[in-house]
Amino acid sequence: MASAWRRLGFYVCFLKSKLNGGPDIISRGRRVIPGCARGIYSATGTWTKEYTLQTRKDVENWWHKRIKEETSKISEADKSKPKFYVLSMFPYPSGKLHMGHVRVYTISDTIARFQKMRGMQVINPMGWDAFGLPAENAAIERNLHPESWTQSNIKHMRKQLDRLGLCFSWDREITTCLPDYYKWTQYLFIKLYEAGLAYQKEALVNWDPVDQTVLANEQVDEHGCSWRSGAKVEQKYLRQWFIKTTAYAKAMQDALADLPEWYGIKGMQAHWIGDCVGCHLDFTLKVDGHVTGEKLTAYTATPEAIYGTSHVAISPSHRLLHGHSSLKETFRKALVPGQDCLTPVTAVNMLTQREAPVVILAKADFEGSLDSKIGIPSTSPEDASLAQTLGLPYSEVIETLPDGTERLRNSAEFTGMNRQDAFLALTQKARRKRVGGDVTSDKLKDWLVSRQRYWGTPIPMVHCPACGPVPVPLQDLPVTLPHITAFTGKGGSPLATASDWVNCACPRCRGAAKRETDTMDTFVDSAWYYFRYTDPQNAHSPFNAALADYWMPVDLYIGGKEHAVMHLFYARFFSHFCHDQNMVKHREPFHKLLAQGLIKGQTFRLPSGQYLQREEVDLTGSVPVHANTKETVEVTWEKMSKSKHNGVDPQEVVGRYGIDTIRLYILFAAPPEKDILWDVKADALPGVLRWQQRLWALVTRFIEARASGTLPRPQVLSNEERAEGRKLWEHKNSVISEVTAHFTEDFSLNSAISQLMGFSNALLTGVPPSRQAGFYRDSPSVPRQPPASGKLSDVLPTATSGWPLSFPAVLGPHSPQASQRVVLHSPEFEDAVCALTVMAAPMAPHITSELWAGLQQVPGKLCAHYAWDAGVLLQAWPAVDPQFLQQPDVVEMAVLINNKACGTIPVPQRVSRDQDKVHELVLQSELGVRLLQGRSIKKTFLSPRTALINFLVQD
Ligand SMILES: [Zn+2]
């Protein structure tokens, strides 16, 4: 026996007294690492029976860098394998990681590990959304250059992410503020410009009259004053760059139908875009028959009736009356507030060449977000009445045939068409002539991308007095940011101060010209970053088409709900555009979307609105009061923030509880899309702490049994013991099936953990879940799903033992143990323990790595389908056994009443998932008649997979 131990290098410390050749065997064990008194098996060769706080620390110390090294060795090169692209929204490098980051990256890391175990080629890349205002503010306030501030934050945050044991594809790291990235942002801007999708127009900005500078929305406080000078902010018209997102409104609206459900976010996207039923058309403006060079764009919901135009209406707040238009005075003279005013300006439709007068309407608010629209009396009674009032001529362009169909007349080439055909033909012709015609809503606006800031991607355009705006030739990209050292926050765009940089030669005529001094909205940088991850080092193009075609679309995109509209919309827009440029074959960039909820902390607020720290609140009375003033304090849950004193520092909680515990807590506390209420006071981690101890106790028990000196022999098991094994086999298969579904379909990783907890219980107690009294506590199928609030203290059993839980506490007072013979001899038991450890690995990689190391050394293994020479994260994800899928015709349904097992009834397989039918069958059965007749049933819970129905009745 001793020789067998020696050969396997296996030793279990607590058995040494039982073994004859003790000292001999001890000498085979690995040396205890100096300074690591207790140590763990991987370090010392001695299995640690208790999972204490120290064990947890030893496990994480040992495995942290090993897991990282192991993960980085997995190659992504094999393109014959199916791929999985999991993407978490990249962070702004503020320098501080917060709990929201920890949540999103824990989810993506878990999914990435799971998909790797399924044999997929996985990328889980990470980068930095590194341009933006805070860096510039740091420069103004603290005299730090935005670049060095940003780079030092990136360095710090990388370390923090590393400390959390997150394994990203770091070789794909991108940083949007580096020229090798923004070169391609500029390239895409020029492609948009060439396609007619980037243009300049006057638009309102926030103007600080004291500092004489444009302010970002974030720099204007809630009273409409400048963050810096305190001056009342004014609105001022400036010529700015727009991206014509409305050109893709219809395509993006329609494509939503092909995407799977996005937690309500598809609805928000659809709402943001609006009903795409009309289009904008372009007009040139004339005064007294003279062409002015001014243009106007106006919307109509019935472009097919365009030949019936009577006028073009603008609102009193239209830029033509307020900006720098040469017609401003003409319009202002014509304006009589409160009246619909005919102006001497006429608008020439660039498609039809027909002229109609421009009218300033009395009402300021048009439909949607419009400030101009085409008046067509044939399709609008309101327009007809205005035309009559002002005496404007127009022609009727729609006739209704006796059969009710409507046709066009007086409409040039469109005459005779039905309205639908005319709509299509006319909008198509307008698009071809580039005079509008993109089908869009009256709501969606084009995207204003100009920012009068330094720390952003320079817009790669040159303004030439002779040629107008000219794009920088592609071979001259990137247009790098000039190095500016003096940031004052005053006096216009910072780039304008770099005169050597601003003054340049026109790329077209070589004459003296000036560079555009606006930079791009940072949403442009993040609108295409997911493409760059597929080919991050490409020096010749934004990305290689073949690589993008392989990796795209992103299989799972994870991020905050706050990006449901703008970021996702812009990112989808860029992907649609790149598709039309033949840069990528997929149109939609993100297949599944997981919008994770917030992590909220408890706040204490005085009636004045002032937030208190927890220490300032007296919680001993019936209502919480301010400890000093005794004022009543309002207690609520809010998004964590420094100013509300309700934040949690990720580094601190990880230091305190360990990486695996925090990972498990975050995944278990609520379904990903729900908010987590971080209950600090209750120290609400007992559920996941206890589960880790159970896993440890289970593996320890198995190791003990196998180290007893007897080799496993399945043939010695009795029929009853085999039946016990069979139950474990069934349970294992059902858990694999459920957990896999949670990982791939609904991402309810909390339910996946519940399943695994229930399975651990069954293995420790030897009682299948359907027979476990109180099983419901850890079963997700009965009502222990975290409530909508996600508040952990509502979910967990109330007995909250701290570290460390002792063995009996883990098992519960009356749990019968699985028979020692089953533990030792049953292949199903071995398989179940291994499958459980493997399935827990993506969520808790450290503890499972150590448990696996213990399992690897167990002698006489019965299961050959595990890769015993490899770590737990390199195991294949357990598969459901094919025999399990061949379901019997009749299911023995376990009946529980108030969580107590009361017997079973046979239920036909085909109805065993139908709660109402099963409920009915139980009531009709002898058992139901005997135990439930006349009692008031409050609620019923069916768990189809475990073939269990639980009746909650009033006693
Ligand atoms: Zn020129």
Side-chain angles (χ1 to χ4, degrees):
M1 205 231 96
S3 65
W5 290 127
R6 211 170 281 148
R7 199 174 61 245
L8 288 153
F10 181 77
Y11 177 62
V12 181
C13 72
F14 50 85
L15 289 172
K16 67 184 162 190
S17 58
K18 294 183 189 170
L19 296 168
N20 296 331
D24 181 25
I25 292 163
I26 293 167
S27 68
R28 289 287 309 157
R30 287 175 221 163
R31 297 253 169 228
V32 173
I33 293 175
C36 185
R38 274 160 283 191
I40 52 164
Y41 171 74
S42 291
T44 66
T46 301
W47 185 258
T48 316
K49 187 174 169 181
E50 295 274 346
Y51 187 69
T52 62
L53 185 59
Q54 186 60 43
T55 322
R56 190 270 287 167
K57 285 186 177 165
D58 292 343
V59 165
E60 280 179 9
N61 284 341
W62 178 266
W63 285 106
H64 186 259
K65 74 170 190 290
R66 285 174 174 79
I67 288 173
K68 198 177 155 190
E69 281 164 11
E70 201 172 67
T71 312
S72 69
K73 275 187 221 144
I74 302 173
S75 158
E76 300 151 6
D78 185 356
K79 299 284 179 287
S80 64
K81 283 192 184 176
K83 64 89 187 182
F84 196 90
Y85 183 175
V86 55
L87 179 63
S88 35
M89 290 180 185
F90 64 169
Y92 176 76
S94 61
K96 284 185 303 287
L97 211 61
H98 56 67
M99 289 309 292
H101 292 131
V102 179
R103 189 175 191 191
V104 62
Y105 303 136
T106 297
I107 296 169
S108 69
D109 185 81
T110 299
I111 300 283
R113 291 182 196 279
F114 161 77
Q115 292 291 355
K116 279 179 192 163
M117 292 168 85
R118 294 187 94 205
M120 308 290 259
Q121 289 288 349
V122 177
I123 50 171
N124 177 27
M126 176 49 79
W128 310 98
D129 191 9
F131 273 133
L133 199 58
E136 203 156 331
N137 289 349
I140 298 166
E141 288 175 330
R142 283 176 268 166
N143 206 22
L144 297 165
H145 195 272
E147 175 150 19
S148 51
W149 184 84
T150 305
Q151 290 294 2
S152 86
N153 285 349
I154 288 175
K155 221 167 132 192
H156 183 63
M157 283 176 81
R158 252 192 89 144
K159 269 193 206 144
Q160 287 184 302
L161 290 172
D162 220 39
R163 176 69 197 89
L164 289 165
L166 299 164
C167 291
F168 291 108
S169 318
W170 282 114
D171 53 334
R172 294 178 182 269
E173 181 179 8
I174 56 174
T175 306
T176 59
C177 68
L178 296 180
D180 68 354
Y181 182 87
Y182 71 66
K183 171 179 180 172
W184 303 113
T185 310
Q186 292 174 335
Y187 172 96
L188 290 168
F189 182 90
I190 291 171
K191 290 285 165 192
L192 285 164
Y193 181 80
E194 288 170 349
L197 296 173
Y199 67 94
Q200 274 186 300
K201 171 177 99 172
E202 277 197 324
L204 286 173
V205 293
N206 302 306
W207 180 252
D208 180 336
V210 173
D211 283 348
Q212 292 284 300
T213 192
V214 175
L215 299 175
N217 287 337
E218 304 92 295
Q219 293 174 313
V220 181
D221 69 17
E222 66 265 42
H223 308 295
C225 295
S226 163
W227 70 301
R228 198 173 142 71
S229 70
K232 195 83 187 163
V233 171
E234 296 168 5
Q235 300 278 296
K236 189 174 162 175
Y237 274 92
L238 271 191
R239 201 164 170 76
Q240 307 200 62
W241 286 96
F242 285 81
I243 291 178
K244 202 169 180 182
T245 44
T246 50
Y248 280 85
K250 181 84 168 72
M252 289 172 70
Q253 181 72 280
D254 292 349
L256 286 172
D258 300 332
L259 295 169
E261 192 38 58
W262 278 10
Y263 299 91
I265 285 168
K266 267 167 62 170
M268 290 164 79
Q269 285 272 307
H271 185 74
W272 171 268
I273 296 169
D275 291 333
C276 297
V277 295
C279 72
H280 293 278
L281 290 170
D282 295 341
F283 297 82
T284 52
L285 300 182
K286 282 186 181 174
V287 181
D288 305 326
H290 299 293
V291 176
T292 63
E294 294 281 349
K295 273 190 181 180
L296 173 63
T297 291
Y299 184 82
T300 174
T302 57
E304 71 278 14
I306 197 70
Y307 283 88
T309 302
S310 58
H311 62 278
V312 178
I314 59 173
S315 79
S317 59
H318 195 276
R319 66 175 172 85
L320 286 171
L321 284 94
H322 302 276
H324 300 90
S325 154
S326 62
L327 299 178
K328 182 168 157 181
E329 286 315 310
T330 314
F331 277 116
R332 290 199 155 195
K333 256 185 226 160
L335 175 73
V336 182
Q339 275 183 33
D340 297 326
C341 313
L342 190 62
T343 71
V345 183
T346 56
V348 185
N349 187 316
M350 292 173 75
L351 182 71
T352 64
Q353 302 307 321
R354 301 279 181 102
E355 280 188 43
V358 177
V359 171
I360 305 168
L361 290 195
K363 66 171 181 179
D365 293 328
F366 287 15
E367 297 85 351
S369 60
L370 300 179
D371 61 2
S372 60
K373 55 179 186 177
I374 305 170
I376 305 178
S378 290
T379 56
S380 159
E382 194 189 355
D383 292 345
S385 115
L386 183 79
Q388 269 154 25
T389 310
L390 297 178
L392 306 175
Y394 61 89
S395 40
E396 283 292 351
V397 291
I398 291 174
E399 63 179 340
T400 309
L401 300 184
D403 66 355
T405 56
E406 292 178 314
R407 288 193 180 279
L408 290 170
R409 58 176 183 160
N410 303 327
S411 295
E413 70 205 77
F414 305 100
T415 299
M417 285 188 188
N418 69 37
R419 286 183 68 171
Q420 198 180 6
D421 291 347
F423 182 100
L424 293 174
L426 191 130
T427 50
Q428 206 169 37
K429 188 177 174 191
R431 287 198 296 276
R432 205 172 51 240
K433 294 191 159 232
R434 288 198 175 187
V435 291
D438 296 307
V439 180
T440 182
S441 69
D442 59 17
K443 227 170 148 177
L444 190 66
K445 289 185 184 177
D446 284 337
W447 177 14
L448 199 175
V449 295
S450 277
R451 296 291 180 272
Q452 292 72 39
R453 315 244 59 95
Y454 173 74
W455 198 233
T457 300
I459 292 177
M461 297 295 293
V462 168
H463 297 281
C464 170
C467 313
V470 181
V472 172
L474 295 178
Q475 67 272 16
D476 293 348
L477 297 180
V479 176
T480 49
L481 278 170
H483 194 76
I484 292 178
T485 47
F487 292 92
T488 60
K490 296 179 185 177
S493 175
L495 287 181
T497 64
S499 56
D500 286 353
W501 180 86
V502 171
N503 293 303
C504 63
C506 167
R508 197 168 290 158
C509 72
R510 310 311 302 168
K514 286 185 188 298
R515 288 190 190 282
E516 172 63 60
T517 56
D518 285 355
T519 53
M520 288 184 219
D521 179 3
T522 56
F523 275 113
V524 183
D525 308 320
S526 58
W528 72 280
Y529 78 118
Y530 49 89
F531 280 131
R532 187 66 179 172
Y533 280 139
T534 67
D535 191 11
Q537 273 96 40
N538 195 327
H540 308 288
S541 64
F543 51 89
N544 171 280
L547 286 171
D549 287 347
Y550 174 74
W551 288 111
M552 292 298 291
V554 172
D555 295 271
L556 180 65
Y557 193 27
I558 311 167
K561 277 183 203 137
E562 66 274 24
H563 297 296
V565 178
M566 301 213 315
H567 163 63
L568 281 176
F569 176 79
Y570 300 140
R572 293 182 61 222
F573 169 83
F574 261 78
S575 183
H576 277 244
F577 172 69
C578 289
H579 169 81
D580 284 359
Q581 293 281 308
N582 294 319
M583 294 170 77
V584 62
K585 98 183 158 205
H586 302 280
R587 196 170 256 285
E588 281 294 326
F590 312 123
H591 182 62
K592 283 195 181 176
L593 182 81
L594 211 171
Q596 105 275 7
L598 299 171
I599 297 191
K600 291 181 170 179
Q602 206 164 23
T603 54
F604 303 94
R605 198 170 46 185
L606 290 173
S608 65
Q610 185 200 336
Y611 286 93
L612 299 175
Q613 310 217 13
R614 177 176 281 270
E615 302 80 71
E616 299 173 275
V617 181
D618 179 357
L619 293 161
T620 54
S622 57
V623 285
V625 293
H626 191 306
N628 296 337
T629 66
K630 305 297 171 203
E631 276 178 284
T632 311
V633 172
E634 190 197 347
V635 183
T636 120
W637 296 89
E638 292 178 75
K639 184 176 175 176
M640 288 184 175
S641 101
K642 210 172 174 181
S643 61
K644 293 175 182 165
H645 310 299
N646 68 340
V648 179
D649 175 22
Q651 270 174 304
E652 193 207 310
V653 291
V654 164
R656 192 155 158 213
Y657 298 107
I659 300 172
D660 284 342
T661 308
I662 293 304
R663 285 172 70 99
L664 289 171
Y665 170 79
I666 280 176
L667 299 174
F668 182 60
E673 73 279 12
K674 292 277 179 354
D675 292 342
I676 291 178
L677 306 186
W678 189 277
D679 198 341
V680 189
K681 188 167 178 234
D683 251 352
L685 300 163
V688 292
L689 289 173
R690 189 174 52 227
W691 183 44
Q692 291 173 80
Q693 296 198 308
R694 282 180 176 170
L695 288 173
W696 196 272
L698 177 65
V699 170
T700 299
R701 187 157 180 235
F702 178 66
I703 291 173
E704 264 184 63
R706 288 288 175 89
S708 64
T710 316
L711 281 175
R713 291 169 61 220
Q715 62 273 28
V716 304
L717 292 172
S718 68
N719 282 345
E720 200 180 320
E721 288 160 343
R722 278 166 210 243
E724 206 178 312
R726 171 88 193 170
K727 287 279 176 208
L728 291 177
W729 177 86
E730 280 171 4
H731 192 186
K732 177 204 78 171
N733 276 299
S734 109
V735 169
I736 293 173
S737 154
E738 292 272 1
V739 170
T740 309
H742 290 314
F743 264 99
T744 52
E745 288 161 24
D746 60 9
F747 305 102
S748 298
L749 302 181
N750 58 320
S751 305
I753 292 176
S754 292
Q755 285 283 340
L756 296 175
M757 285 175 165
F759 193 31
S760 321
N761 267 10
L763 288 169
L764 262 182
T765 62
V767 182
S770 56
R771 309 292 182 275
Q772 282 174 29
F775 159 70
Y776 70 96
R777 284 201 321 197
D778 279 344
S779 160
S781 37
V782 234
R784 60 153 318 292
Q785 292 276 15
S789 72
K791 188 173 167 188
L792 199 54
S793 52
D794 295 343
V795 177
L796 294 167
T798 44
T800 55
S801 330
W803 280 102
L805 287 168
S806 64
F807 212 87
V810 169
L811 287 174
H814 304 297
S815 314
Q817 297 253 326
S819 88
Q820 189 66 13
R821 284 164 55 82
V822 170
V823 176
L824 175 57
H825 297 295
S826 163
E828 288 85 4
F829 190 91
E830 178 181 306
D831 190 21
V833 170
C834 295
L836 172 64
T837 309
V838 170
M839 284 190 280
M843 300 187 269
H846 302 85
I847 183 174
T848 52
S849 290
E850 180 62 13
L851 293 174
W852 190 258
L855 292 171
Q856 279 177 307
Q857 301 305 322
V858 165
K861 286 199 198 64
L862 302 169
C863 299
H865 57 281
Y866 294 97
W868 287 115
D869 54 347
V872 71
L873 291 162
L874 299 177
Q875 298 301 310
W877 185 256
V880 174
D881 294 306
Q883 307 96 294
F884 181 74
L885 299 171
Q886 293 153 14
Q887 301 274 10
D889 293 341
V890 173
V891 177
E892 279 297 313
M893 182 70 60
V895 181
L896 278 71
I897 297 173
N898 290 342
N899 309 312
K900 294 228 170 60
C902 298
T904 64
I905 67 152
V907 170
Q909 173 69 40
R910 70 196 143 74
V911 299
S912 66
R913 297 185 149 269
D914 183 330
Q915 172 154 322
D916 293 341
K917 292 237 169 68
V918 175
H919 180 114
E920 196 58 37
L921 287 171
V922 174
L923 293 186
Q924 288 164 8
S925 70
E926 183 273 330
L927 182 147
V929 171
R930 182 161 45 87
L931 298 174
L932 288 166
Q933 205 164 54
R935 299 178 78 181
S936 151
I937 299 167
K938 307 290 280 179
K939 223 164 184 164
T940 318
F941 301 97
L942 175 74
S943 163
R945 293 242 181 233
T946 49
L948 170 158
I949 186 161
N950 188 3
F951 290 84
L952 297 185
V953 303
Q954 196 150 36
D955 283 319

